[in-house]
Amino acid sequence: MSESYLHFLWQFQYFNKANLQTTDNELVEIIKIGRLNTDSGADFQDARIIIGDVEWAGAVEVHLKSSDWDIHKHQNDASYQNVILHLVWENDKPILRKDGTKIPTLTLRERADKSRLQKYQSMMESKAEMPCQNQFQDVDDIKKLSMLDKVLMKRLEDKSVIVNHFLEENNQDWEETAYQVLAKNFGFKLNAEPFLNLAKNLPLKILQKHRDNLSQIEALFFGVAGFLSNENNDLETWDEYRLNLRKEFQFLTSKYQLQDKILGQHEWKYLRLRPANFPTVRLAQFARFIHENANLFSVLIHLENVKSFAKILKVKQSDYWIEHYVFHRKSEGKVPTLGDSSAENVVINTVVPLLVSYANQKDNREYLEKAIRLLEELPAEQNNITKHWQSMGLQIKTAFDSQGSIEWFNHFCLSKKCLSCNVGVEILRK
Ligand code: SF4
């Protein structure tokens, strides 16, 4: 038994209401159950209930045992003084208000349906990855789709909060924020952190001053990334391209006081990466992208579809990086540009969160709708979670579906928040 289950019973009024009485035998008539409150204060606010002959307006507080009221120290808390009904599973102690009057108490233990409770308990005790896996197929698709919508919106909101955090750090500068979010994404999982540190140490404002000169942008990127520091005292083995970048970077370092901003080469990871994803290649691609799109945010925010974005993102890196995965060693074949799935990943993790955050800041739904449109255009991601959902019969066709289903699984199924899930509620309702 949990308090959330009592919330559920009250919220959907799933208990026997015949001859409903308080523990002091006063008749109870529920006019309005109130609104579930997830902030501080009692659990349901703005309820209206007739107890005896009096109609009360106020809050309903829910506990497993009535004595929890004292244990939680509500007796000293002003925000609980508006409680008109104490809803409990078990009444083990009378509870008094500050003025000494009793708080009317209603017990649910004898009124709750036993088979529903058993169903709930077996879901909560289930060891399966998805506690409802045997009942999922029986739930109407409409409930599943509405849950998918709900969780997707939550995921977008959460991602936009991260963007807001960057925005705050950058004094509401959208261009700088877009650059940092994109840089982090360019590092993908393994090199997200050094890429982000690089972007923080090398502001877009500096790059914009050199936007017409790709060599200088590369010198700034590779220099601040640490690849032009002579860490191994092996300058004599460097090729002409790298030496030229180093020379350029030495000049730019003193111009922009970058001496303390240079990362160590050890911060960049190569382990288990395909050569096309090496940080050196990604840096070269990012440098070219910035060279061609210095007003990053305006470019991203005005994108109409995924195709047009993929076109600008999949720029060809400079000639040297067409033939090298790392410095000095010529590759056997040509180094590819950013692949389709990497471009799609950038839309999901950079463009969409920026659009959602911008929509919220400007209170303009157009950008939110555009974010959703982009997700609906993209194919679904394939991973263990999406495969699991598909095996349960959930249709996952676009990135909208896959993003929603990942959120659903991670934040509801894994933590067994089945009472907050449309599917869980439907299973228990039946
Ligand atoms: S959260 Fe929903 S879908 Fe997930 S296991 Fe619980 S009831 Fe099933």
Side-chain angles (χ1 to χ4, degrees), residues 281-305:
V281 175
R282 290 285 184 235
L283 279 168
Q285 290 165 341
F286 195 41
R288 186 62 183 250
F289 181 79
I290 295 293
H291 171 57
E292 294 192 3
N293 303 283
N295 296 323
L296 204 58
F297 180 67
S298 320
V299 172
L300 299 183
I301 211 82
H302 290 115
L303 279 172
E304 276 314 315
N305 50 47

PDB file of all heavy atoms in Angstrom, residues 281-305:
ATOM      1  N   VAL A 281      38.208  14.775 -36.471  1.00  0.00           N
ATOM      2  CA  VAL A 281      37.335  14.900 -37.647  1.00  0.00           C
ATOM      3  C   VAL A 281      36.126  15.775 -37.304  1.00  0.00           C
ATOM      4  O   VAL A 281      35.739  16.668 -38.057  1.00  0.00           O
ATOM      5  CB  VAL A 281      36.873  13.493 -38.128  1.00  0.00           C
ATOM      6  CG1 VAL A 281      35.867  13.608 -39.262  1.00  0.00           C
ATOM      7  CG2 VAL A 281      38.072  12.664 -38.537  1.00  0.00           C
ATOM      8  N   ARG A 282      35.547  15.516 -36.135  1.00  0.00           N
ATOM      9  CA  ARG A 282      34.378  16.308 -35.704  1.00  0.00           C
ATOM     10  C   ARG A 282      34.740  17.803 -35.568  1.00  0.00           C
ATOM     11  O   ARG A 282      33.948  18.673 -35.915  1.00  0.00           O
ATOM     12  CB  ARG A 282      33.856  15.800 -34.354  1.00  0.00           C
ATOM     13  CG  ARG A 282      33.216  14.453 -34.420  1.00  0.00           C
ATOM     14  CD  ARG A 282      31.839  14.568 -35.055  1.00  0.00           C
ATOM     15  NE  ARG A 282      31.163  13.296 -35.054  1.00  0.00           N
ATOM     16  CZ  ARG A 282      30.674  12.696 -36.137  1.00  0.00           C
ATOM     17  NH1 ARG A 282      30.795  13.271 -37.323  1.00  0.00           N
ATOM     18  NH2 ARG A 282      30.061  11.544 -36.055  1.00  0.00           N
ATOM     19  N   LEU A 283      35.942  18.076 -35.059  1.00  0.00           N
ATOM     20  CA  LEU A 283      36.365  19.479 -34.919  1.00  0.00           C
ATOM     21  C   LEU A 283      36.478  20.136 -36.289  1.00  0.00           C
ATOM     22  O   LEU A 283      36.074  21.288 -36.481  1.00  0.00           O
ATOM     23  CB  LEU A 283      37.719  19.546 -34.197  1.00  0.00           C
ATOM     24  CG  LEU A 283      37.661  19.431 -32.673  1.00  0.00           C
ATOM     25  CD1 LEU A 283      39.056  19.224 -32.096  1.00  0.00           C
ATOM     26  CD2 LEU A 283      37.039  20.690 -32.063  1.00  0.00           C
ATOM     27  N   ALA A 284      37.040  19.382 -37.245  1.00  0.00           N
ATOM     28  CA  ALA A 284      37.195  19.930 -38.598  1.00  0.00           C
ATOM     29  C   ALA A 284      35.813  20.208 -39.199  1.00  0.00           C
ATOM     30  O   ALA A 284      35.597  21.244 -39.852  1.00  0.00           O
ATOM     31  CB  ALA A 284      37.968  18.942 -39.460  1.00  0.00           C
ATOM     32  N   GLN A 285      34.856  19.294 -38.957  1.00  0.00           N
ATOM     33  CA  GLN A 285      33.491  19.497 -39.486  1.00  0.00           C
ATOM     34  C   GLN A 285      32.808  20.677 -38.804  1.00  0.00           C
ATOM     35  O   GLN A 285      32.138  21.482 -39.450  1.00  0.00           O
ATOM     36  CB  GLN A 285      32.666  18.213 -39.290  1.00  0.00           C
ATOM     37  CG  GLN A 285      33.121  17.085 -40.200  1.00  0.00           C
ATOM     38  CD  GLN A 285      32.588  15.732 -39.771  1.00  0.00           C
ATOM     39  OE1 GLN A 285      32.176  15.532 -38.638  1.00  0.00           O
ATOM     40  NE2 GLN A 285      32.626  14.771 -40.692  1.00  0.00           N
ATOM     41  N   PHE A 286      33.014  20.766 -37.511  1.00  0.00           N
ATOM     42  CA  PHE A 286      32.391  21.875 -36.765  1.00  0.00           C
ATOM     43  C   PHE A 286      32.991  23.221 -37.228  1.00  0.00           C
ATOM     44  O   PHE A 286      32.267  24.201 -37.392  1.00  0.00           O
ATOM     45  CB  PHE A 286      32.620  21.649 -35.264  1.00  0.00           C
ATOM     46  CG  PHE A 286      31.740  22.490 -34.382  1.00  0.00           C
ATOM     47  CD1 PHE A 286      30.402  22.694 -34.685  1.00  0.00           C
ATOM     48  CD2 PHE A 286      32.239  23.086 -33.230  1.00  0.00           C
ATOM     49  CE1 PHE A 286      29.584  23.469 -33.870  1.00  0.00           C
ATOM     50  CE2 PHE A 286      31.433  23.867 -32.407  1.00  0.00           C
ATOM     51  CZ  PHE A 286      30.102  24.056 -32.734  1.00  0.00           C
ATOM     52  N   ALA A 287      34.305  23.223 -37.451  1.00  0.00           N
ATOM     53  CA  ALA A 287      34.971  24.451 -37.918  1.00  0.00           C
ATOM     54  C   ALA A 287      34.369  24.890 -39.253  1.00  0.00           C
ATOM     55  O   ALA A 287      34.054  26.065 -39.463  1.00  0.00           O
ATOM     56  CB  ALA A 287      36.474  24.199 -38.063  1.00  0.00           C
ATOM     57  N   ARG A 288      34.175  23.939 -40.140  1.00  0.00           N
ATOM     58  CA  ARG A 288      33.618  24.276 -41.457  1.00  0.00           C
ATOM     59  C   ARG A 288      32.176  24.772 -41.314  1.00  0.00           C
ATOM     60  O   ARG A 288      31.752  25.711 -41.983  1.00  0.00           O
ATOM     61  CB  ARG A 288      33.665  23.019 -42.349  1.00  0.00           C
ATOM     62  CG  ARG A 288      33.252  23.268 -43.784  1.00  0.00           C
ATOM     63  CD  ARG A 288      34.213  24.255 -44.416  1.00  0.00           C
ATOM     64  NE  ARG A 288      33.875  24.601 -45.746  1.00  0.00           N
ATOM     65  CZ  ARG A 288      34.574  24.231 -46.832  1.00  0.00           C
ATOM     66  NH1 ARG A 288      35.644  23.481 -46.701  1.00  0.00           N
ATOM     67  NH2 ARG A 288      34.218  24.632 -48.024  1.00  0.00           N
ATOM     68  N   PHE A 289      31.435  24.130 -40.416  1.00  0.00           N
ATOM     69  CA  PHE A 289      30.044  24.521 -40.214  1.00  0.00           C
ATOM     70  C   PHE A 289      29.973  25.979 -39.712  1.00  0.00           C
ATOM     71  O   PHE A 289      29.167  26.774 -40.187  1.00  0.00           O
ATOM     72  CB  PHE A 289      29.380  23.561 -39.216  1.00  0.00           C
ATOM     73  CG  PHE A 289      27.933  23.882 -38.965  1.00  0.00           C
ATOM     74  CD1 PHE A 289      26.958  23.501 -39.871  1.00  0.00           C
ATOM     75  CD2 PHE A 289      27.546  24.573 -37.828  1.00  0.00           C
ATOM     76  CE1 PHE A 289      25.625  23.806 -39.658  1.00  0.00           C
ATOM     77  CE2 PHE A 289      26.212  24.886 -37.605  1.00  0.00           C
ATOM     78  CZ  PHE A 289      25.251  24.494 -38.515  1.00  0.00           C
ATOM     79  N   ILE A 290      30.834  26.316 -38.757  1.00  0.00           N
ATOM     80  CA  ILE A 290      30.837  27.681 -38.212  1.00  0.00           C
ATOM     81  C   ILE A 290      31.306  28.672 -39.286  1.00  0.00           C
ATOM     82  O   ILE A 290      30.774  29.775 -39.413  1.00  0.00           O
ATOM     83  CB  ILE A 290      31.758  27.757 -36.963  1.00  0.00           C
ATOM     84  CG1 ILE A 290      31.199  26.887 -35.836  1.00  0.00           C
ATOM     85  CG2 ILE A 290      31.960  29.199 -36.491  1.00  0.00           C
ATOM     86  CD1 ILE A 290      29.880  27.345 -35.237  1.00  0.00           C
ATOM     87  N   HIS A 291      32.272  28.249 -40.072  1.00  0.00           N
ATOM     88  CA  HIS A 291      32.773  29.097 -41.165  1.00  0.00           C
ATOM     89  C   HIS A 291      31.619  29.467 -42.115  1.00  0.00           C
ATOM     90  O   HIS A 291      31.523  30.586 -42.593  1.00  0.00           O
ATOM     91  CB  HIS A 291      33.863  28.298 -41.903  1.00  0.00           C
ATOM     92  CG  HIS A 291      34.332  28.909 -43.174  1.00  0.00           C
ATOM     93  ND1 HIS A 291      34.853  30.181 -43.246  1.00  0.00           N
ATOM     94  CD2 HIS A 291      34.381  28.413 -44.445  1.00  0.00           C
ATOM     95  CE1 HIS A 291      35.188  30.445 -44.502  1.00  0.00           C
ATOM     96  NE2 HIS A 291      34.912  29.388 -45.238  1.00  0.00           N
ATOM     97  N   GLU A 292      30.733  28.527 -42.351  1.00  0.00           N
ATOM     98  CA  GLU A 292      29.649  28.795 -43.305  1.00  0.00           C
ATOM     99  C   GLU A 292      28.373  29.302 -42.647  1.00  0.00           C
ATOM    100  O   GLU A 292      27.482  29.792 -43.336  1.00  0.00           O
ATOM    101  CB  GLU A 292      29.346  27.514 -44.097  1.00  0.00           C
ATOM    102  CG  GLU A 292      30.533  27.151 -44.967  1.00  0.00           C
ATOM    103  CD  GLU A 292      30.234  26.072 -45.986  1.00  0.00           C
ATOM    104  OE1 GLU A 292      29.079  25.626 -46.072  1.00  0.00           O
ATOM    105  OE2 GLU A 292      31.188  25.679 -46.684  1.00  0.00           O
ATOM    106  N   ASN A 293      28.286  29.171 -41.328  1.00  0.00           N
ATOM    107  CA  ASN A 293      27.035  29.580 -40.645  1.00  0.00           C
ATOM    108  C   ASN A 293      27.359  30.306 -39.342  1.00  0.00           C
ATOM    109  O   ASN A 293      27.078  29.801 -38.259  1.00  0.00           O
ATOM    110  CB  ASN A 293      26.177  28.349 -40.319  1.00  0.00           C
ATOM    111  CG  ASN A 293      25.840  27.538 -41.528  1.00  0.00           C
ATOM    112  OD1 ASN A 293      24.971  27.897 -42.300  1.00  0.00           O
ATOM    113  ND2 ASN A 293      26.553  26.439 -41.711  1.00  0.00           N
ATOM    114  N   ALA A 294      27.929  31.475 -39.469  1.00  0.00           N
ATOM    115  CA  ALA A 294      28.366  32.165 -38.251  1.00  0.00           C
ATOM    116  C   ALA A 294      27.179  32.620 -37.404  1.00  0.00           C
ATOM    117  O   ALA A 294      27.276  32.695 -36.188  1.00  0.00           O
ATOM    118  CB  ALA A 294      29.261  33.332 -38.594  1.00  0.00           C
ATOM    119  N   ASN A 295      26.038  32.939 -38.069  1.00  0.00           N
ATOM    120  CA  ASN A 295      24.851  33.322 -37.275  1.00  0.00           C
ATOM    121  C   ASN A 295      24.008  32.078 -37.029  1.00  0.00           C
ATOM    122  O   ASN A 295      22.920  31.902 -37.558  1.00  0.00           O
ATOM    123  CB  ASN A 295      24.034  34.391 -37.994  1.00  0.00           C
ATOM    124  CG  ASN A 295      24.824  35.653 -38.123  1.00  0.00           C
ATOM    125  OD1 ASN A 295      25.576  36.018 -37.215  1.00  0.00           O
ATOM    126  ND2 ASN A 295      24.722  36.293 -39.273  1.00  0.00           N
ATOM    127  N   LEU A 296      24.571  31.248 -36.200  1.00  0.00           N
ATOM    128  CA  LEU A 296      24.074  29.908 -35.974  1.00  0.00           C
ATOM    129  C   LEU A 296      22.598  29.839 -35.580  1.00  0.00           C
ATOM    130  O   LEU A 296      21.818  29.108 -36.171  1.00  0.00           O
ATOM    131  CB  LEU A 296      24.920  29.358 -34.829  1.00  0.00           C
ATOM    132  CG  LEU A 296      25.047  27.899 -34.701  1.00  0.00           C
ATOM    133  CD1 LEU A 296      25.625  27.352 -35.973  1.00  0.00           C
ATOM    134  CD2 LEU A 296      25.977  27.610 -33.539  1.00  0.00           C
ATOM    135  N   PHE A 297      22.250  30.606 -34.569  1.00  0.00           N
ATOM    136  CA  PHE A 297      20.910  30.504 -34.018  1.00  0.00           C
ATOM    137  C   PHE A 297      19.863  30.873 -35.074  1.00  0.00           C
ATOM    138  O   PHE A 297      18.863  30.187 -35.240  1.00  0.00           O
ATOM    139  CB  PHE A 297      20.769  31.395 -32.779  1.00  0.00           C
ATOM    140  CG  PHE A 297      19.399  31.327 -32.184  1.00  0.00           C
ATOM    141  CD1 PHE A 297      18.951  30.161 -31.599  1.00  0.00           C
ATOM    142  CD2 PHE A 297      18.549  32.427 -32.229  1.00  0.00           C
ATOM    143  CE1 PHE A 297      17.674  30.069 -31.062  1.00  0.00           C
ATOM    144  CE2 PHE A 297      17.278  32.352 -31.693  1.00  0.00           C
ATOM    145  CZ  PHE A 297      16.838  31.172 -31.104  1.00  0.00           C
ATOM    146  N   SER A 298      20.129  31.971 -35.792  1.00  0.00           N
ATOM    147  CA  SER A 298      19.163  32.394 -36.821  1.00  0.00           C
ATOM    148  C   SER A 298      19.010  31.283 -37.853  1.00  0.00           C
ATOM    149  O   SER A 298      17.898  31.017 -38.330  1.00  0.00           O
ATOM    150  CB  SER A 298      19.635  33.650 -37.532  1.00  0.00           C
ATOM    151  OG  SER A 298      20.205  34.506 -36.613  1.00  0.00           O
ATOM    152  N   VAL A 299      20.112  30.627 -38.192  1.00  0.00           N
ATOM    153  CA  VAL A 299      20.042  29.548 -39.185  1.00  0.00           C
ATOM    154  C   VAL A 299      19.174  28.405 -38.648  1.00  0.00           C
ATOM    155  O   VAL A 299      18.255  27.933 -39.318  1.00  0.00           O
ATOM    156  CB  VAL A 299      21.465  29.019 -39.515  1.00  0.00           C
ATOM    157  CG1 VAL A 299      21.393  27.777 -40.380  1.00  0.00           C
ATOM    158  CG2 VAL A 299      22.274  30.103 -40.194  1.00  0.00           C
ATOM    159  N   LEU A 300      19.461  27.997 -37.410  1.00  0.00           N
ATOM    160  CA  LEU A 300      18.753  26.839 -36.845  1.00  0.00           C
ATOM    161  C   LEU A 300      17.265  27.114 -36.651  1.00  0.00           C
ATOM    162  O   LEU A 300      16.419  26.274 -36.913  1.00  0.00           O
ATOM    163  CB  LEU A 300      19.377  26.434 -35.501  1.00  0.00           C
ATOM    164  CG  LEU A 300      20.840  26.004 -35.524  1.00  0.00           C
ATOM    165  CD1 LEU A 300      21.273  25.573 -34.129  1.00  0.00           C
ATOM    166  CD2 LEU A 300      21.067  24.871 -36.497  1.00  0.00           C
ATOM    167  N   ILE A 301      16.964  28.298 -36.171  1.00  0.00           N
ATOM    168  CA  ILE A 301      15.587  28.608 -35.795  1.00  0.00           C
ATOM    169  C   ILE A 301      14.687  28.773 -37.032  1.00  0.00           C
ATOM    170  O   ILE A 301      13.482  28.596 -36.964  1.00  0.00           O
ATOM    171  CB  ILE A 301      15.572  29.862 -34.882  1.00  0.00           C
ATOM    172  CG1 ILE A 301      14.432  29.789 -33.910  1.00  0.00           C
ATOM    173  CG2 ILE A 301      15.518  31.148 -35.636  1.00  0.00           C
ATOM    174  CD1 ILE A 301      14.711  28.983 -32.724  1.00  0.00           C
ATOM    175  N   HIS A 302      15.299  29.122 -38.157  1.00  0.00           N
ATOM    176  CA  HIS A 302      14.480  29.334 -39.357  1.00  0.00           C
ATOM    177  C   HIS A 302      14.433  28.120 -40.283  1.00  0.00           C
ATOM    178  O   HIS A 302      13.900  28.196 -41.377  1.00  0.00           O
ATOM    179  CB  HIS A 302      14.975  30.574 -40.112  1.00  0.00           C
ATOM    180  CG  HIS A 302      14.670  31.827 -39.353  1.00  0.00           C
ATOM    181  ND1 HIS A 302      15.641  32.644 -38.850  1.00  0.00           N
ATOM    182  CD2 HIS A 302      13.476  32.360 -38.964  1.00  0.00           C
ATOM    183  CE1 HIS A 302      15.071  33.636 -38.179  1.00  0.00           C
ATOM    184  NE2 HIS A 302      13.766  33.490 -38.227  1.00  0.00           N
ATOM    185  N   LEU A 303      14.966  27.013 -39.802  1.00  0.00           N
ATOM    186  CA  LEU A 303      14.934  25.800 -40.623  1.00  0.00           C
ATOM    187  C   LEU A 303      13.507  25.353 -40.861  1.00  0.00           C
ATOM    188  O   LEU A 303      12.707  25.332 -39.931  1.00  0.00           O
ATOM    189  CB  LEU A 303      15.635  24.671 -39.864  1.00  0.00           C
ATOM    190  CG  LEU A 303      17.130  24.685 -39.938  1.00  0.00           C
ATOM    191  CD1 LEU A 303      17.658  23.650 -38.994  1.00  0.00           C
ATOM    192  CD2 LEU A 303      17.552  24.395 -41.352  1.00  0.00           C
ATOM    193  N   GLU A 304      13.200  24.978 -42.081  1.00  0.00           N
ATOM    194  CA  GLU A 304      11.832  24.569 -42.368  1.00  0.00           C
ATOM    195  C   GLU A 304      11.650  23.068 -42.271  1.00  0.00           C
ATOM    196  O   GLU A 304      10.601  22.574 -41.898  1.00  0.00           O
ATOM    197  CB  GLU A 304      11.396  25.074 -43.741  1.00  0.00           C
ATOM    198  CG  GLU A 304      10.876  26.505 -43.725  1.00  0.00           C
ATOM    199  CD  GLU A 304       9.899  26.787 -42.583  1.00  0.00           C
ATOM    200  OE1 GLU A 304       8.997  25.984 -42.332  1.00  0.00           O
ATOM    201  OE2 GLU A 304      10.065  27.840 -41.905  1.00  0.00           O
ATOM    202  N   ASN A 305      12.695  22.329 -42.636  1.00  0.00           N
ATOM    203  CA  ASN A 305      12.558  20.870 -42.560  1.00  0.00           C
ATOM    204  C   ASN A 305      13.921  20.216 -42.335  1.00  0.00           C
ATOM    205  O   ASN A 305      14.953  20.860 -42.413  1.00  0.00           O
ATOM    206  CB  ASN A 305      11.887  20.312 -43.816  1.00  0.00           C
ATOM    207  CG  ASN A 305      12.555  20.840 -45.056  1.00  0.00           C
ATOM    208  OD1 ASN A 305      13.784  20.821 -45.146  1.00  0.00           O
ATOM    209  ND2 ASN A 305      11.766  21.335 -45.993  1.00  0.00           N
TER     210      ASN A 305
END
